[in-house]
Amino acid sequence: MPENPSPEELKRQFEAAISGMELDDLRSLTDTLLSRASLSLTEIARPALRRPPLPEPAMFRIRVDLDHSSPPIWRRLDIHADATLDVVHQVLQAAFGWTDSHLHRFALGGGPFDRKSELFLCPFDVEEGDDQGAPASEVRLDETMQAPGDVVRYVYDYGDGWQLTLRLEELRPKADSPTAVCRDGRRAAPPEDCGGITDAASLAAVIDDPAHFDVDEVNQALRDPYFVLREAGLDSRLVNLAHRLQYSETGDALVARLVSLTQPLALPSLTEMQVALRPVTWFLEQGSGDGITLTSAGYLKPPDVEAICAILPTMAGWIGKNNRENNAHPLQDFRAWLQAAGLLRKSKGKLLTTRAGLKLLDNTGALWDYLASRLIPTGKGDFAELSALLIVAHVASSPNKEVPFDTIARVLGDLGWQSGDRERLRGYDLYRVDGSPLPLLNNVGEAAKRVSFREPVHLAAAALAHYALLTSTAG
């Protein structure tokens, strides 16, 4: 056989190979060829067209056209160049009057379903893994376009197939302005679930005035709490939770609570921080040097239990002598939290301060930052992460008030979570969640001012929670 046979020779050999095959054999061969062809297509690497972000802040003026619309339906938007594509998605939803009720994706180098395109995917598509592509939340707008004429494509609702073309018209200096502002546009966008209509005659059957466009209406939509909260620097995971709940019973109350956190943050003084964090620094001090000697069962010895219980807020109202750690559950939880946070470690029968803890021992401000960074576990939207986010948000917005655990449980229920017995969550279900921030937050403050778990939130604990939501790397 020739080393590089021609198409005609390959065809001849194939016909000779299948000559005389039974129908069942032909069907089996066809299935095999189709499966291998499908596999090879999925293995084709998509192009890497994403660029490094611009070195300087900028504002992009972008014209967005609804593909195949007649007459043209379009919007002209000024958008921060450093906005991530998940935020740009929300901008487009507001600009075209849609409700974020369907899947979407962005594409660079071709259409949203082209094999030659680099894709930036919505969370569902990322989880499904059917297409290669980075999460839209991890990609900045200026990594996809940088010069006038650059194009990014977007699709919303794979059924109706609303495809938009974003074309960069102009780069401007970044101004102290909202994330996005609508400057101009033409005609009403087709409404949700109308079947992919893009011509005026057909649109007239589903909307009163296909020619209607009001730039002020669009800009009002672009001041939705989603944008206000993102611009305030609040943890983006929490903002996304509130957005998911916007049509639920608990959504309005959560948004109002989060909006209250956009006010300027008042931090405690350094002296107030030192007082509030005294239970933490007690462990760091005692664990330095030779460390804290533990019992053979791994518990703190009675004198150490008595010493820490005298300053630990959650032990102030605890029943008993408070001299045995195995009978002092709040103390056990607090110590376990400090170990999980990387401040303490057990070694050879002793409790020792870690290297990280030793660096923070004489730096109260740095310790405050460190504790804030460990309040919310990083997961993939699991129950521990979501419940921690909501607990921290409610503590932050409840200074001198009791934490509304039943409210938090209802929010989690609206997000689809249930208790282990498939019943609706109750507030008490949140006390023993792995990675909960409660063991720390309940112990920030003076011991004499706390006599039970359900005491009002200490001002310092609220400030620490608030600070965590504004400084999180996810924000």
Side-chain angles (χ1 to χ4, degrees):
M1 186 175 98
E3 187 173 337
N4 294 302
S6 66
E8 292 78 11
E9 175 63 18
L10 286 173
K11 180 181 178 182
R12 186 192 66 77
Q13 293 177 21
F14 178 75
E15 289 175 345
I18 64 173
S19 174
M21 276 190 175
E22 298 292 338
L23 181 58
D24 288 344
D25 294 332
L26 287 171
R27 285 174 174 167
S28 177
L29 176 62
T30 302
D31 290 341
T32 300
L33 291 173
L34 287 174
S35 65
R36 290 182 178 177
S38 176
L39 179 62
S40 66
L41 284 174
T42 60
E43 291 176 342
I44 294 174
R46 290 183 175 275
L49 304 175
R50 182 176 169 186
R51 290 169 277 187
L54 293 174
E56 298 295 333
M59 184 75 73
F60 284 173
R61 177 155 292 179
I62 297 173
R63 172 161 165 154
V64 185
D65 283 87
L66 177 62
D67 294 355
H68 313 301
S69 57
S70 179
I73 298 170
W74 57 272
R75 307 287 183 261
R76 179 169 285 115
L77 303 166
D78 286 349
I79 308 178
H80 287 188
D82 60 358
T84 50
L85 293 184
D86 59 325
V87 176
V88 177
H89 159 68
Q90 297 299 340
V91 170
L92 298 174
Q93 292 290 300
F96 285 83
W98 294 326
T99 60
D100 193 16
S101 302
H102 301 280
L103 303 181
H104 68 276
R105 63 175 53 175
F106 291 86
L108 192 58
F113 300 106
D114 292 347
R115 297 301 310 174
K116 64 181 180 180
S117 304
E118 182 174 8
L119 302 182
F120 309 111
L121 306 173
C122 69
F124 181 85
D125 280 351
V126 172
E127 292 173 8
E128 290 297 298
D130 290 337
D131 270 311
Q132 304 168 13
S137 59
E138 298 177 2
V139 182
R140 288 173 34 149
L141 180 59
D142 62 359
E143 293 179 275
T144 65
M145 51 170 50
Q146 295 184 350
D150 285 352
V151 166
V152 172
R153 302 192 186 279
Y154 166 88
V155 63
Y156 170 65
D157 186 349
Y158 300 168
D160 281 1
W162 307 120
Q163 297 201 34
L164 304 180
T165 297
L166 289 68
R167 187 178 303 276
L168 180 58
E169 293 185 327
E170 185 179 354
L171 279 73
R172 294 168 169 251
K174 186 174 181 179
D176 184 15
S177 63
T179 300
V181 177
C182 184
R183 299 301 182 188
D184 198 4
R186 290 293 182 274
R187 305 188 67 80
E192 294 272 2
D193 301 319
C194 69
I197 299 170
T198 55
D199 65 279
S202 300
L203 279 172
V206 293
I207 54 178
D208 294 335
D209 184 6
H212 175 77
F213 171 76
D214 187 329
V215 69
D216 292 333
E217 288 181 1
V218 174
N219 282 321
Q220 183 176 357
L222 288 170
R223 300 315 301 144
D224 180 89
Y226 174 88
F227 299 105
V228 173
L229 295 173
R230 288 293 296 248
E231 290 160 10
L234 206 62
D235 188 297
S236 62
R237 295 169 294 178
L238 195 56
V239 179
N240 291 336
L241 280 185
H243 181 70
R244 285 171 58 186
L245 292 166
Q246 62 181 324
Y247 302 116
S248 75
E249 179 182 339
T250 55
D252 289 343
L254 178 60
V255 166
R257 187 176 289 272
L258 298 183
V259 169
S260 74
L261 296 177
T262 63
Q263 301 303 310
L265 173 63
L267 287 173
S269 68
L270 189 61
T271 300
E272 289 170 333
M273 285 184 185
Q274 290 171 340
V275 172
L277 300 181
R278 181 58 190 143
V280 179
T281 55
W282 183 91
F283 269 107
L284 298 185
E285 290 167 359
Q286 300 302 315
S288 63
D290 291 336
I292 305 171
T293 301
L294 301 173
T295 67
S296 59
Y299 294 113
L300 295 172
K301 291 187 173 182
D304 291 322
V305 174
E306 291 177 352
I308 183 60
C309 284
I311 61 174
L312 194 65
T314 50
M315 290 303 300
W318 196 253
I319 299 172
K321 289 185 177 182
N322 295 342
N323 64 355
R324 293 185 179 278
E325 189 182 10
N326 60 327
N327 293 328
H329 301 306
L331 169 57
Q332 285 181 288
D333 292 342
F334 182 64
R335 172 160 75 102
W337 193 95
L338 294 177
Q339 289 178 234
L343 294 173
L344 299 174
R345 64 184 178 89
K346 289 174 65 174
S347 176
K348 299 179 179 179
K350 291 187 175 184
L351 195 62
L352 302 171
T353 303
T354 63
R355 290 183 180 179
L358 291 173
K359 291 179 181 178
L360 301 170
L361 184 53
D362 297 318
N363 190 334
T364 303
L367 177 59
W368 182 271
D369 287 349
Y370 187 93
L371 294 172
S373 73
R374 297 303 192 277
L375 273 180
I376 305 168
T378 301
K380 294 185 177 180
D382 59 7
F383 183 78
E385 180 181 18
L386 298 186
S387 61
L389 276 168
L390 291 167
I391 288 171
V392 171
H394 284 74
V395 168
S397 55
S398 303
N400 293 323
K401 298 178 183 178
E402 185 179 318
V403 179
F405 287 105
D406 288 338
T407 297
I408 299 172
R410 285 195 294 272
V411 172
L412 287 164
D414 284 345
L415 290 168
W417 294 97
Q418 298 175 316
S419 65
D421 54 6
R422 297 187 179 277
E423 296 293 331
R424 189 165 179 85
L425 288 165
R426 296 292 183 265
Y428 54 75
D429 292 318
L430 303 176
Y431 284 99
R432 307 296 297 180
V433 178
D434 289 342
S436 171
L438 288 173
L440 177 68
L441 291 174
N442 282 335
N443 287 295
V444 172
E446 300 96 325
K449 293 189 177 182
R450 188 177 186 91
V451 296
S452 76
F453 256 156
R454 300 189 73 84
E455 285 290 301
V457 172
H458 192 278
L459 284 172
L464 181 63
H466 192 174
Y467 185 74
L469 293 174
L470 292 174
T471 57
S472 166
T473 57

